[in-house]
Amino acid sequence: MTGTAAPGAKGGAGARRVLAPLALAQFICSFAGSNMNVMINDISKDLDTTVQGVQVAITIFLLVMAALMIPGGKLTDKWGRKRCLLAGLVIYGVGALLSAVAPGLGVLILGNSILQGVGTALLIPPVYILTTLLFTGTASRARAFGAIMALGGVGAAAGPLIGGLITSAISWRAAFVFQALVIVVIALLSRKIEDPLPPDPAQPFDTVGAVLSAAGLVLLVTGILAVDDNGWLALGLLLAGALVLVGFFAWVRGRERAGREALLSTDLFRNRTSNLGLVTQNTQWLMLMGVSFTVAAYLQVVRGYDAIETGVIFTAATLGILASSLAAEKLARRRAQRTLIMAGFVTTIAGIAVLLALVAWKPGAWAFAPGLLLIGLGLGLMLTPSVNVVQSCFPETQQGEISGLSRSISNLGSSLGTAIAGTILVSGLSKGAYAAAMAALAVVGLGGLTAAALLPRAGRPPATEDGMTTPPGAPQRQ
């Protein structure tokens, strides 16, 4: 197979027909993870809850995605990629409508956190698997991932703006109706997508592995959320989560040795380039969602800004992500992906530093713009190359597994970002907690930068037969 778009994606119109629903799917799922940040005051008043209650709802949504993304990726082989995509859209849409009519926090958590989280875990792995299978040249794949990650990043960054506009003009409930309408559009556009690989209904599914992996991740993030309320409980949950995950890997290894189908192949963790790429993905989304929640909560609770004012301030981050993500194809041709990822981390960390310095010096709303712009530029610069590095390290037969793992790691980063930064923030909004939360995110960014620096060195990516480029660690296609 040569490095060109696969059948069904050839040509400008064909590529657009394939990419449109896939990119919109990533957009709406990222939007859902951040748009509630500007509704904190409105939701807490309407549903008679607290800032911490809204934080829990947001974190559970992100956590359900992370916990179920690996099983969701595995099910694409059994059920088919398009079928999983459509099933996820239906479940997500039902959850959005239920959230729109929620009479209390419990129903909101059921609709938004649970149903929308499950729907996302089913529909997102097919997005990345189909993109990898339909666009096989690295530059064409970078173009496709660039569009998807651009809309994903814009969804996360513009979530506060769009959510703020809808909340101010109508109600926070209308934001969930908006999501349901977008889901309908995606479902209609998805009719043109053709699954390049047939499903295998006879393939066994590792149910025990799915339960263990989900339980371990849930315990870990719940432990972080419990830090502010009960230190000993938090420690117990964190230890339990670590033990369950150790048990999960032991279970998977045992099934592999017995020659049985496991939820996740341990071979996925033997590729050094992919492992480092996964670390950078986790860190990027941790920083993005952590910054989004921290700044949004600070603006509303401490500064007293309403939803629309908070959303407008986030426009700088949206523009930054959009500009750098859309340049992904051109940058992939000119620079090694390691270079792009490192530059992204440096720019993002610098943005956090500028944000802290200017906000401390000048209390005006404009003081947030330069830092958020840099953060957006940095994150947009590295989102696409990180995904491309990981996905390109494995052959088509492992795309379901690596896509599920990749999205799980990224969404775990999102839930950790909201949990860690949110826990620091709600512990003392008036006692320097904002600066502490942002500083913690910068330290995490340094860890991501270190992982990026350890990626294989390369000058310019080597060209394939069609003049495209191949990242270090990618398998050579015949």
Side-chain angles (χ1 to χ4, degrees):
M1 186 180 295
T2 59
T4 58
K10 289 182 178 179
R16 284 193 294 272
R17 282 196 297 269
V18 171
L19 275 178
L22 301 181
L24 276 175
Q26 179 62 76
F27 166 83
I28 200 63
C29 292
S30 298
F31 171 87
S34 67
N35 84 114
M36 281 178 63
N37 291 339
V38 296
M39 307 173 189
I40 293 173
N41 284 341
D42 295 87
I43 293 177
S44 59
K45 291 177 182 176
D46 193 7
L47 301 185
D48 193 25
T49 185
T50 63
V51 172
Q52 192 168 16
V54 179
Q55 179 211 2
V56 168
I58 296 171
T59 303
I60 292 176
F61 166 71
L62 297 169
L63 179 56
V64 168
M65 285 196 296
L68 299 182
M69 203 66 73
I70 294 175
K74 196 70 173 179
L75 285 173
T76 61
D77 296 327
K78 186 178 182 68
W79 293 350
R81 285 131 294 275
K82 184 174 180 179
R83 188 176 299 172
C84 281
L85 175 67
L86 294 176
L89 290 172
V90 171
I91 295 173
Y92 188 104
V94 171
L97 292 176
L98 184 60
S99 300
V101 298
L105 183 63
V107 176
L108 179 66
I109 289 176
L110 173 62
N112 172 250
S113 308
I114 306 300
L115 291 180
Q116 287 188 263
V118 171
T120 301
L122 281 175
L123 71 89
I124 286 299
V127 168
Y128 288 83
I129 298 169
L130 289 168
T131 302
T132 303
L133 296 178
L134 294 173
F135 298 87
T136 57
T138 303
S140 62
R141 186 180 294 158
R143 185 187 308 120
F145 277 134
I148 291 171
M149 297 310 296
L151 278 185
V154 168
L161 174 60
I162 299 173
L165 287 171
I166 296 175
T167 299
S168 298
I170 308 175
S171 152
W172 64 268
R173 298 177 184 275
F176 289 101
V177 177
F178 167 76
Q179 293 180 51
L181 292 175
V182 174
I183 289 296
V184 172
V185 172
I186 296 170
L188 293 174
L189 292 175
S190 297
R191 294 179 301 169
K192 301 292 185 180
I193 296 178
E194 296 181 6
D195 197 333
L197 295 176
D200 182 9
Q203 182 172 341
F205 183 75
D206 182 7
T207 304
V208 174
V211 171
L212 288 174
S213 65
L217 295 176
V218 168
L219 287 169
L220 282 178
V221 177
T222 305
I224 295 173
L225 288 172
V227 167
D228 186 47
D229 296 323
N230 189 318
W232 287 110
L233 175 62
L235 179 60
L237 290 170
L238 291 171
L239 290 175
L243 289 174
V244 171
L245 289 178
V246 169
F248 163 68
F249 282 106
W251 169 264
V252 166
R253 188 60 180 155
R255 286 182 68 89
E256 286 183 327
R257 288 173 176 169
R260 303 175 66 187
E261 184 74 18
L263 179 70
L264 193 67
S265 173
T266 55
D267 288 342
L268 297 179
F269 298 98
R270 292 174 183 156
N271 187 300
R272 181 175 181 271
T273 299
S274 173
N275 289 342
L276 292 169
L278 289 172
V279 172
T280 64
Q281 283 187 32
N282 179 276
T283 308
Q284 291 159 17
W285 285 98
L286 190 156
M287 296 174 74
L288 174 57
M289 299 307 296
V291 167
S292 178
F293 181 84
T294 301
V295 175
Y298 175 76
L299 288 172
Q300 293 171 89
V301 179
V302 177
R303 293 292 182 88
Y305 293 168
D306 61 22
I308 184 61
E309 291 170 330
T310 302
V312 169
I313 291 172
F314 272 94
T315 304
T318 305
L319 294 175
I321 287 181
L322 183 60
S324 52
S325 293
L326 291 179
E329 179 191 358
K330 183 179 294 184
L331 292 171
R333 292 177 182 271
R334 297 182 177 181
R335 295 288 185 271
Q337 301 196 70
R338 171 181 179 271
T339 302
L340 297 177
I341 298 171
M342 289 183 65
F345 275 114
V346 170
T347 305
T348 303
I349 294 170
I352 292 177
V354 170
L355 192 62
L356 282 171
L358 287 181
V359 171
W361 172 65
K362 186 73 174 179
W366 70 266
F368 291 86
L372 288 174
L373 178 63
L374 285 173
I375 291 170
L377 286 170
L379 289 168
L381 185 63
M382 58 182 168
L383 286 174
T384 297
S386 286
V387 170
N388 206 3
V389 162
V390 173
Q391 297 287 148
S392 298
C393 282
F394 299 93
E396 292 179 359
T397 55
Q398 291 183 292
Q399 285 301 314
E401 287 184 302
I402 190 58
S403 179
L405 176 61
S406 173
R407 294 304 87 206
S408 179
I409 293 294
S410 296
N411 284 292
L412 178 61
S414 296
S415 57
L416 287 174
T418 304
I420 294 172
T423 297
I424 296 173
L425 195 66
V426 299
S427 65
L429 281 169
S430 61
K431 297 180 290 185
Y434 166 74
M438 295 299 288
L441 294 172
V443 171
V444 170
L446 291 175
L449 176 61
T450 301
L454 294 174
L455 285 167
R457 291 179 177 272
R460 293 183 60 186
T464 60
E465 293 177 9
D466 62 345
M468 302 305 183
T469 58
T470 302
Q476 297 300 315
R477 298 180 182 273
Q478 303 297 324

